[in-house]
Amino acid sequence: MSDAASYSIRDGIAVITLNNPPVNGLGSVLRPGIMDGIRKADADPAVKAVVIIGSAKAFSGGADIREFNTPKMLVPPSLPEINDAQDACSKPMIAAIGGFALGGGLELALGCHYRVALPRSLLGLPEVKLGLLPGSGGTQRLPRVVGAAQAVQMMTTGNPIPAEKALQVGLVDEIVPGDLLEGAIAFALKAKGPRRIRDLKVKLEGDPQQFFEKVRADVAKASRGFPAPLEIVACVEAAVGKPFDEGRKEERQRFASLVEGNESKALRHMFFAERQTGKIPDVPDDTPLRPIRSAAVIGAGTMGGGIAMNFANAGIAVSIMDMTQEAVDKGVAKIKANYASTVSKGRLKQDEMDKRMALITPTTTLEAGKDADIVIEAVFERMDVKQDMFRKLDAVMKPGAILATNTSTLDVDAIAAVTKRPQDVIGTHFFSPANVMRLLEVVRGKKTAKDVLATTMKLGKTIKKVPVVSGVCDGFIGNRMVEKYGQQSLFLIDEGCSPAQVDAAAYKWGMAMGPLAMGDMAGLDIGWEIRKRRYVERPNFIYSKVGDKIAELGRYGQKTGKGWYKYNLPERKPIPDPEVEEIIQKYRAENKIKTRPIADEEIVERLIYALVNEAAYILEEGIALRASDIDMVYLTGYGFPLYRGGPMFYADTVGLKNVLNSMQKFQSGYQGAVWKPAPLLVKLANEGRRFND
Ligand code: NAD
């Protein structure tokens, strides 16, 4: 037997113990051992039953991700072959589940005839999160065990269920309160005999046709653009209406087509991209980190409050400072209201809220936070204000503290330059709402020390963000790109689109919301202020002034009840406004702009390729470390559809040559001068390569 799967006999029960840390991934070292164990037990007349058991932490986490895309994945036996042997076994087979049984891990457990679990175990089939479906009989066995409705629920959301719930729905036969192996052996000794799951009938209440019609409609609504959930429903339908082997065949076919599809490739890309962001070529993994036990946040406004919550959520004490008692009180009241709303929704316990609030210390002096290990400044977005603040922080903060700025556009190096410790200065660009959005751009200044960068990246993970390194440039990665996206949205309006048409095309393509609705949400005054600054700083940048016409009227978006749309506040649903249409028409007439009908396809191409082209410059300049980091920025900070994998991955799937051809076509169109393809894009397109190679 292999070390990864040991075999022993106790009280006439064969015990196959999985031992492939950290999660008992069903890799090439483990599968043969499991198979040997099953065969040996089946052939031994002294064996009455078989128990498969993992560790207390993990029965099995499913496929071994370290072997993804390697020949090791194909080493026999496959999991379906093991499942066949489980079905064929003439003795009762029991899965003893400690910790989690996920994906292929649960399929292995479903291949067993019975399941027992520790009270804290979690059971689930999360394949849908990677755009796939359970490919080793899971879609056929789970409904036979828990019924069609519960199986659809578990497999289309991918969310695991705890042991208690698993017991209720029949996925677990017994919960073992004490020693798992003892409990499993006791269960095995009294087990009635083999019970092949494949022979059970699927439970379904009511008429199957009506049931599946409703399920399809619900699932389609909840899974906009993702094919896997509906494919899962189809497999469950097969489990209900067809013999097991036919259902398995259908599952295999549907699995194979999902694996080949762009949506699953995009989600798998994202899975690996997230693991890449922490790798910084010139900063070794073992760089010593500075301990972060306490934090200070300066500015208790929109961002400061959310940032402070991140620390409190992670159990890190944090002080929050503003200029006046009134401002701090307002900021803290907002934090409290945020937590209270989560408590009222049942997603946070009151005593947990109290604990978190107790970690937050309001103050009006910088001195109160002087001993913090990191200070994050979130005051007004003005260079003079920021520099003044950093001089003060330099004077009060303890030596070795990390001095971070949440600036969204200003030069981090210029901020660092006013201190005597530019090596300790870094940018931490949170996204609004800062307690919710997962993206954190970590801005590495020219003088930022490696340990400061490594510590901030680690801290990002501790506070449950996706930290992505960006170099210093105007707007960093995300906002620098979004400027070009916004620019195109305004040109499209100039040329004849209504705001609703642009937004609808972007939404239909998969964006969480269109660019104009996004502007209304963020506040149109912010973009307007930036543009006014740009007109001076970068006179060559071409903008449509149609957005200014809207903002000049005090139409700042949701906060004023009017922007590109009108709103029946407090409802936030955008309603097209004839007044806006008039403003746009007047603007077109004054500027003698000819309009034309524009198809959704062109709208989407212009918006998305504008992102892609700027991203190519960003990559070429070394502002982003890798294409997949740019994808992560858009997937976690800008509502980019997950199943498209981010702008770079999407461009790769379209083919860079095709992207380039479209850009060249746009060059002869309205404001075509802005379409200068980035040299990197041209080079890769001509070489037939991809951004994400
Ligand atoms: P805000 O106006 O809501 O809050 C700023 C707070 O800083 C105010 O409460 C103000 O009283 C306080 N403040 C100003 N000067 C101070 C000083 N000298 N000492 C102490 N407190 C002072 O602004 P915001 O939206 O929270 O933005 C803060 C920073 O975060 C800006 O740099 C902004 O660019 C950046 N940012 C904002 C967003 C966003 O969506 N709002 C997103 C990312 C980054």
Side-chain angles (χ1 to χ4, degrees):
M1 292 288 305
S2 69
D3 290 345
S6 63
Y7 181 89
S8 59
I9 296 182
R10 277 203 30 201
D11 304 334
I13 308 293
V15 179
I16 302 171
T17 306
L18 315 183
N19 183 23
N20 184 25
V23 298
N24 279 325
L26 297 171
S28 55
V29 292
L30 189 50
R31 292 190 307 268
I34 299 173
M35 189 65 137
D36 288 352
I38 295 171
R39 291 212 173 112
K40 205 161 154 184
D42 204 16
D44 184 348
V47 167
K48 294 195 272 289
V50 190
V51 167
I52 303 183
I53 188 169
S55 66
K57 180 181 150 210
F59 175 74
S60 167
D64 194 333
I65 59 167
R66 294 167 299 190
E67 294 186 359
F68 271 18
N69 303 324
T70 71
K72 288 185 176 169
M73 281 192 78
L74 304 175
V75 168
S78 65
L79 181 57
E81 283 161 354
I82 295 176
N83 289 151
D84 288 343
Q86 290 174 290
D87 278 337
C89 184
S90 59
K91 303 173 181 173
M93 188 172 287
I94 294 99
I97 301 170
F100 47 81
L102 296 175
L106 183 57
E107 288 181 304
L108 178 67
L110 281 165
C112 292
H113 309 169
Y114 304 95
R115 280 150 299 282
V116 300
L118 288 177
R120 293 170 64 91
S121 301
L122 280 176
L123 297 86
L125 292 172
E127 287 81 351
V128 71
K129 297 195 176 180
L130 293 181
L132 298 171
L133 50 80
S136 188
T139 67
Q140 302 305 297
R141 287 194 176 86
L142 187 65
R144 283 176 162 82
V145 177
V146 301
Q150 178 68 30
V152 166
Q153 158 74 16
M154 278 181 73
M155 291 190 288
T156 56
T157 62
N159 297 332
I161 58 172
E164 195 57 49
K165 171 89 183 165
L167 181 70
Q168 273 169 28
V169 299
L171 181 53
V172 157
D173 298 283
E174 195 173 289
I175 291 186
V176 176
D179 184 275
L180 180 60
L181 183 57
E182 296 298 331
I185 288 178
F187 186 94
L189 287 169
K190 64 180 190 213
K192 287 202 191 77
R195 180 187 62 162
R196 302 198 313 168
I197 303 299
R198 55 174 288 147
D199 298 336
L200 305 179
K201 215 174 132 42
V202 180
K203 274 183 285 169
L204 187 156
E205 273 168 36
D207 172 57
Q209 200 183 336
Q210 272 175 7
F211 171 84
F212 282 106
E213 249 166 49
K214 172 152 185 354
V215 163
R216 263 207 182 85
D218 291 350
V219 169
K221 206 165 140 210
S223 61
R224 181 165 78 99
F226 289 86
L230 283 173
E231 293 293 291
I232 288 170
V233 174
C235 289
V236 175
E237 199 166 12
V240 171
K242 296 181 180 170
F244 183 85
D245 288 330
E246 266 180 56
R248 271 290 284 132
K249 206 165 126 202
E250 192 164 328
E251 177 191 83
R252 250 195 311 274
Q253 281 160 355
R254 291 183 187 275
F255 179 86
S257 80
L258 286 175
V259 168
E260 285 308 312
N262 282 336
E263 291 82 3
S264 165
K265 284 185 183 155
L267 291 171
R268 282 177 281 155
H269 165 69
M270 184 178 171
F271 180 84
F272 289 106
E274 186 168 345
R275 280 152 187 77
Q276 280 285 311
T277 64
K279 299 202 165 58
I280 308 165
D282 65 328
V283 180
D285 283 348
D286 58 358
T287 303
L289 303 180
R290 300 188 188 185
I292 303 288
R293 295 187 202 96
S294 61
V297 173
I298 313 299
T302 311
M303 296 306 287
I307 295 170
M309 286 174 80
N310 288 316
F311 286 104
N313 295 348
I316 299 172
V318 57
S319 63
I320 179 161
M321 182 266 178
D322 209 304
M323 289 186 288
T324 62
Q325 192 60 44
E326 199 191 341
V328 192
D329 289 347
K330 205 170 134 206
V332 173
K334 178 90 194 293
I335 294 178
K336 207 167 172 179
N338 269 338
Y339 278 134
S341 141
T342 317
V343 170
S344 73
K345 288 179 196 140
R347 294 207 304 259
L348 185 73
K349 296 225 168 69
Q350 182 64 46
D351 65 337
E352 185 53 38
M353 164 174 166
D354 297 343
K355 258 191 240 158
R356 294 183 194 185
M357 284 304 298
L359 285 168
I360 301 174
T361 310
T363 172
T364 53
T365 69
L366 287 181
E367 282 71 20
K370 71 180 179 14
D371 292 323
D373 297 313
I374 182 168
V375 56
I376 298 184
E377 162 281 309
V379 302
F380 301 135
E381 184 74 350
R382 274 186 22 211
M383 185 54 96
D384 56 338
V385 178
K386 302 264 189 209
Q387 287 184 327
D388 181 49
M389 178 52 66
F390 270 73
R391 278 190 201 100
K392 289 179 181 151
L393 290 173
D394 191 19
V396 303
M397 295 306 293
K398 72 173 181 189
I402 294 178
L403 314 184
T405 171
N406 186 48
T407 181
S408 28
T409 49
L410 300 173
D411 182 343
V412 174
D413 292 327
I415 296 173
V418 302
T419 71
K420 289 187 210 66
R421 35 175 147 170
Q423 75 282 0
D424 294 344
V425 177
I426 194 163
T428 46
H429 185 211
F430 287 83
F431 288 72
S432 182
N435 54 314
V436 176
M437 296 297 288
R438 291 178 70 218
L439 177 61
L440 175 65
E441 282 182 331
V442 174
V443 185
R444 179 181 194 174
K446 278 202 184 64
K447 298 200 171 147
T448 304
K450 288 182 184 181
D451 66 335
V452 168
L453 179 59
T455 304
T456 309
M457 293 298 284
K458 169 83 191 328
L459 174 66
K461 293 225 161 93
T462 307
I463 60 172
K464 301 224 160 64
K465 300 289 167 191
V466 175
V468 177
V469 178
S470 170
V472 174
C473 69
D474 195 339
F476 313 126
I477 297 172
N479 284 346
R480 177 170 155 185
M481 286 163 64
V482 94
E483 189 169 61
K484 298 296 165 78
Y485 175 82
Q487 182 190 45
Q488 282 303 317
S489 73
L490 299 189
F491 288 161
L492 285 161
I493 290 177
D494 284 1
E495 276 194 274
C497 293
S498 68
Q501 191 196 351
V502 174
D503 281 351
Y507 180 81
K508 207 168 119 205
W509 186 78
M511 296 299 291
M513 64 175 74
L516 291 321
M518 183 172 86
D520 273 2
M521 194 181 73
L524 298 182
D525 50 328
I526 296 180
W528 187 34
E529 283 304 323
I530 295 176
R531 286 198 299 276
K532 280 192 279 191
R533 211 172 74 207
R534 294 274 196 270
Y535 296 149
V536 181
E537 289 169 356
R538 289 175 16 202
N540 296 338
F541 196 93
I542 313 167
Y543 286 94
S544 160
K545 299 253 168 51
V546 69
D548 298 2
K549 301 287 170 206
I550 304 285
E552 277 162 17
L553 296 171
R555 301 185 64 117
Y556 292 163
Q558 288 186 11
K559 62 179 152 192
T560 55
K562 284 177 175 180
W564 286 109
Y565 299 90
K566 58 183 176 186
Y567 297 86
N568 283 333
L569 293 176
E571 255 181 67
R572 284 153 187 273
K573 187 172 172 290
I575 305 162
D577 186 349
E579 251 181 58
V580 170
E581 199 47 45
E582 260 173 50
I583 300 166
I584 295 171
Q585 276 182 18
K586 190 158 162 253
Y587 174 82
R588 288 177 190 143
E590 278 169 10
N591 291 280
K592 304 195 175 49
I593 304 170
K594 267 217 266 163
T595 61
R596 64 183 174 97
I598 300 179
D600 283 4
E601 194 188 343
E602 179 180 336
I603 295 175
V604 168
E605 282 199 352
R606 280 171 54 178
L607 292 175
I608 305 302
Y609 295 171
L611 291 176
V612 170
N613 199 36
E614 192 62 20
Y617 280 109
I618 285 173
L619 195 56
E620 197 165 9
E621 290 166 23
I623 296 294
L625 290 174
R626 51 183 81 82
S628 63
D629 278 10
I630 298 175
D631 286 336
M632 283 317 292
V633 166
Y634 266 74
L635 293 167
T636 56
Y638 291 84
F640 203 90
L642 305 187
Y643 57 85
R644 298 205 189 267
M648 307 309 260
F649 183 84
Y650 177 70
D652 285 342
T653 57
V654 172
L656 297 189
K657 193 80 199 166
N658 295 329
V659 173
L660 185 60
N661 287 344
S662 292
M663 284 187 194
Q664 281 159 347
K665 203 170 64 204
F666 300 149
Q667 281 178 329
S668 59
Y670 178 71
Q671 301 290 15
V674 304
W675 287 104
K676 277 199 208 78
L680 176 67
L681 171 66
V682 176
K683 181 171 177 285
L684 294 177
N686 288 338
E687 291 169 2
R689 288 171 54 202
R690 301 157 43 94
F691 285 124
N692 275 297
D693 270 344

